[in-house]
Amino acid sequence: MANVLYDALFGKHAGRDTPFLWLANGSNVTHAAFLEQAAQFAHVLTNAGLVIGDRVAVQVEKSGAALAIYAACVQAGLVFLPLNTAYTADEVQYFVENSGARLFVCDPSKADALQSVADGAAAQLETLDVNGSGSLADKAADKDAQFATVERGADDLAAFLYTSGTTGRSKGAMLSHKNLLSNSETLADLWQFTSNDVLLHALPIFHTHGLFVASNITLLAGGSMIFLPKFDLDVVIEKLPQATTIMGVPTFYTRLLSDARFTKDLTAHMRLFVSGSAPLLAETHVEFEERTGHRILERYGMTETNMNTSNPFDGERRAGTVGFPLQGVEVKVTDPNTGETLPNGEIGILEVRGDNVFQGYWQMPEKTAEELRDNGFFITGDMGVIDADGYVQIVGRNKDLIISGGFNIYPKEIEEVLDSQNGVLESAVVGVAHPDFGETPVGVLVAKTGETPDLDAIAKHLHDTLARFKHPRKLIVMDALPRNTMGKVQKNLLREELKNLFT
Ligand code: MLC
Ligand code: AMP
């Protein structure tokens, strides 16, 4: 037996002196150098006592070295657990504890604040900064640049990605070697990736999109990536001439379209623009084609399932749809109440089945059973419809979820914080249309009788507890929340009332 994911993505590039990562300053990291660094990290991890299946939690800035930790984990048979760099210490504590991580890598600037998190979870703390320096790199420096790859099969775990829930705490989605590899193979083939591709990579690498879709496909095809720390409009426009393709959330495309430098000439050489993680407005799709002559290829995925559907590479890329089920992925629309399959043309919940679908939530069998049917279909919580030509369209969500600039925000988590504040009787958080982020959370508060909530103090408290992207862009006090006869808060009415807040 070999190591399913390592061999397909990484191992085959051993000794290749070709550029893998192009850095913002124009220098590059070769495939060989990247793999040697990964091997050195793998030695550090195993010397620390980690054994097959142990989790490695990582909250570090994007860099080639950060990506090499992923490769190191795969090579050593460990489970890679990347965390959003925006998470506060409070948030990180839960992930490190819940996952039972044996080792936690953080930015050196946060080490003092996070040492107690690591100690509390009995995890070893190491550091790595955006330039690749830190205790992990120091320990790796004298290690052998070769590591004996640990055998791992198709169903063994490769990564945990945490995803929040409408109720309760975040859940660790367990992804196997097969989940990740099968999806990358399908997409690389469908989107016709080759070793000539240069992917402009401006996404974070702690989520499915930037980590698995972008990086795995590039590795599989043997291409390279222009590896930027974040989406900076000026830098993306400067680097586009060297790229053949880019993957982004819709905010990337609306920001590019808002800039006069983004022209047909600038993009004439590009072969593919991919969008996903949040709905791309049909207007954006149309405006993009008018400006550049390219049709954005929109696809649909989830943390639990990797990618499910994609518009075609060669056929019609239809605006407002997410295309067809991928090869080997079944997609059906079911009745939210009965679970019965609905005919094409009827709106229901999208369910998906295939090698892409995860192994369940870490140590949460009840949550797993609620969403993953015995027959293998995963209940996505997205409302959709399949049209007569087979195109899947997402029309809404059957889950209380806000997607801001491609980051998922669960209102419940914010409402719990708001409800606990002085002077607050109750709260509701809703997603409101936002010109840059697509949607953004707004907090509606109801005061306790005779009290006046201190909105500044509440904003400060949110700042200390929740990641910045989750902060409501506005807090509004209302006399009461609209409720239906069953007493349930009617968030649709709030959304309607507030829909023009940012436009
Ligand atoms: C940053 N901020 C955000 C935010 N990103 N606020 C709300 N939503 C976001 N997504 C905060 C910043 O901290 C900052 O706070 C302020 O908003 C403005 O920041 P900015 O400089 O304008 O933001 P920027 O750094 O440019 O980031 C915006 C972004 C980024 C859209 C480029 O969020 C991004 O790269 N998103 C991609 C997320 C992603 O990869 N999703 C894939 C999930 S996988 P302040 O206080 O400083 O003003 C998945 C499955 C699938 O969904 O199908 O792919
Ligand atoms: P995440 O949990 O971060 O993986 O987010 C997954 C969710 O993002 C899905 O359930 C969808 O609601 C949403 N999503 C992903 N891609 C698209 C898309 N192309 N259009 C609309 N929503 C999308």
Side-chain angles (χ1 to χ4, degrees), residues 11-12 24 46 143 164 179 205-206 224 250 276 299 330 364 386 391 497 502:
K12 66 179 183 190
T46 50
K143 298 291 179 292
S164 298
N179 293 150
I205 53 167
F206 44 72
S224 62
R299 92 308 179 274
E330 294 168 80
M364 291 188 183
I386 303 180
Y391 284 84
E497 185 174 342
F502 301 105

Side-chain angles (χ1 to χ4, degrees), residues 163 207-208 275-280 298-304 322 380 382 394 397 399 401 403 406 408 410:
T163 158
H207 279 316
T208 300
S275 177
S277 310
L280 182 78
E298 185 172 9
R299 92 308 179 274
Y300 158 60
M302 285 186 81
T303 299
E304 289 92 332
V322 291
T380 63
D382 291 308
I394 296 174
R397 297 179 201 127
K399 48 189 176 188
L401 163 68
I403 305 184
N408 286 7
Y410 285 83

Side-chain angles (χ1 to χ4, degrees), residues 86 161 202-210 213 230-232 248-249 251-252 255 276-278 299-303 306-307 403-409 436-437 439-441 463 468-471 473:
L161 291 192
L203 287 161
I205 53 167
F206 44 72
H207 279 316
T208 300
H209 198 162
V213 186
K230 58 171 286 197
F231 183 89
D232 177 314
V249 294
T251 301
F252 283 23
R255 287 187 182 180
S277 310
R299 92 308 179 274
Y300 158 60
M302 285 186 81
T303 299
N306 299 284
M307 299 304 102
I403 305 184
S404 167
F407 286 148
N408 286 7
I409 300 168
D436 188 28
F437 292 130
E439 276 186 299
T440 198
H463 178 270
R468 170 75 183 104
F469 68 88
K470 298 178 188 171
H471 299 178
R473 298 264 146 185

Side-chain angles (χ1 to χ4, degrees), residues 129-420:
D129 73 11
V130 69
N131 301 311
S133 304
S135 67
L136 184 71
D138 292 345
K139 289 183 180 169
D142 65 354
K143 298 291 179 292
D144 191 345
Q146 302 294 320
F147 181 88
T149 303
V150 172
E151 293 192 350
R152 293 274 80 192
D155 294 328
D156 289 323
L157 296 181
F160 278 11
L161 291 192
Y162 272 77
T163 158
S164 298
T166 310
T167 55
R169 302 304 304 257
S170 291
K171 302 163 286 185
M174 301 187 287
L175 295 151
S176 70
H177 283 235
K178 182 168 70 188
N179 293 150
L180 301 180
L181 183 58
S182 67
N183 211 239
S184 315
E185 285 175 338
T186 302
L187 295 171
D189 184 47
L190 179 70
W191 297 342
Q192 302 187 11
F193 268 73
T194 72
S195 57
N196 293 326
D197 269 307
V198 182
L199 177 97
L200 207 166
H201 194 302
L203 287 161
I205 53 167
F206 44 72
H207 279 316
T208 300
H209 198 162
L211 182 62
F212 299 140
V213 186
S215 306
N216 284 0
I217 294 178
T218 304
L219 281 158
L220 200 60
S224 62
M225 302 193 275
I226 301 173
F227 212 56
L228 302 177
K230 58 171 286 197
F231 183 89
D232 177 314
L233 188 57
D234 291 334
V235 180
V236 167
I237 286 176
E238 180 200 322
K239 298 287 181 187
L240 260 183
Q242 283 119 54
T244 62
T245 173
I246 180 170
M247 291 182 190
V249 294
T251 301
F252 283 23
Y253 297 110
T254 50
R255 287 187 182 180
L256 284 166
L257 285 169
S258 72
D259 195 297
R261 293 170 296 175
F262 188 67
T263 59
K264 200 170 192 136
D265 279 352
L266 188 77
T267 57
H269 68 289
M270 292 286 285
R271 73 167 194 91
L272 182 63
F273 295 84
V274 177
S275 177
S277 310
L280 182 78
L281 294 178
E283 297 98 273
T284 310
H285 194 281
V286 171
E287 190 186 342
F288 197 91
E289 186 176 13
E290 283 168 2
R291 178 85 67 90
T292 66
H294 292 282
R295 289 176 78 85
I296 296 175
L297 186 155
E298 185 172 9
R299 92 308 179 274
Y300 158 60
M302 285 186 81
T303 299
E304 289 92 332
T305 63
N306 299 284
M307 299 304 102
N308 299 316
T309 72
S310 169
N311 269 281
F313 187 84
D314 286 322
E316 184 197 351
R317 298 178 194 166
R318 201 172 278 185
T321 81
V322 291
F324 305 115
L326 296 176
Q327 179 81 34
V329 179
E330 294 168 80
V331 177
K332 63 178 181 175
V333 177
T334 59
D335 184 304
N337 300 316
T338 64
E340 293 297 318
T341 303
L342 295 172
N344 281 5
E346 285 193 27
I347 294 175
I349 299 203
L350 293 168
E351 296 193 19
V352 297
R353 177 165 72 179
D355 285 347
N356 56 321
V357 174
F358 75 141
Q359 306 301 301
Y361 297 115
W362 169 245
Q363 292 184 337
M364 291 188 183
E366 298 84 13
K367 296 273 179 204
T368 303
E370 278 169 26
E371 295 177 39
L372 193 55
R373 295 187 192 279
D374 290 343
N375 65 8
F377 272 97
F378 178 70
I379 306 167
T380 63
D382 291 308
M383 303 293 293
V385 59
I386 303 180
D387 74 14
D389 299 328
Y391 284 84
V392 177
Q393 194 183 350
I394 296 174
V395 298
R397 297 179 201 127
N398 192 35
K399 48 189 176 188
D400 197 10
L401 163 68
I402 299 166
I403 305 184
S404 167
F407 286 148
N408 286 7
I409 300 168
Y410 285 83
K412 184 84 190 150
E413 188 183 8
I414 307 170
E415 288 160 3
E416 279 173 4
V417 177
L418 294 177
D419 290 347
S420 68

